[in-house]
Amino acid sequence: LGGDEEDYSIYFIAYGKIQIFYKSKAIKELTNGEYFGELAFFTKTPRTASAKSLFFSSLFYLKAEDAVEHLQAFPSDFVTCF
């Protein structure tokens, strides 16, 4: 996942290991149960960091526009989430 892509999804790691890097420098490693992409997801700002899998990994993702669509359809969920 590259830093300049217009993707505002948040990613959840089911299992595996993901390396986050900025300008070719590794800055963090994430593993099972952790997430990344939250800044782009909540602010719709372009990504500044990139991510790559260090070995076989399984991720789930939620697109920002899907989350907004759900919250518009079910406004009571907005109150419980935020």
Side-chain angles (χ1 to χ4, degrees):
L1 181 61
D4 294 328
E5 296 178 19
E6 285 194 32
D7 173 28
Y8 304 118
S9 301
I10 188 169
Y11 292 82
F12 302 91
I13 304 167
Y15 60 86
K17 189 177 281 189
I18 304 296
Q19 184 179 62
I20 307 298
F21 55 99
Y22 177 73
K23 295 185 179 180
S24 301
K25 181 182 178 188
I27 56 174
K28 185 185 283 190
E29 286 186 6
L30 303 172
T31 190
N32 306 356
E34 295 185 288
Y35 56 89
F36 60 94
E38 67 278 7
L39 184 61
F41 180 81
F42 287 110
T43 66
K44 282 202 138 183
T45 56
R47 297 182 188 281
T48 56
S50 297
K52 71 176 182 178
S53 177
L54 295 177
F55 57 91
F56 186 78
S57 300
S58 179
L59 307 173
F60 297 96
Y61 70 95
L62 175 61
K63 293 181 180 180
E65 53 271 11
D66 291 344
V68 169
E69 186 178 301
H70 174 81
L71 292 173
Q72 288 173 339
F74 302 96
S76 61
D77 288 350
F78 181 80
V79 174
T80 60
C81 291
F82 299 96

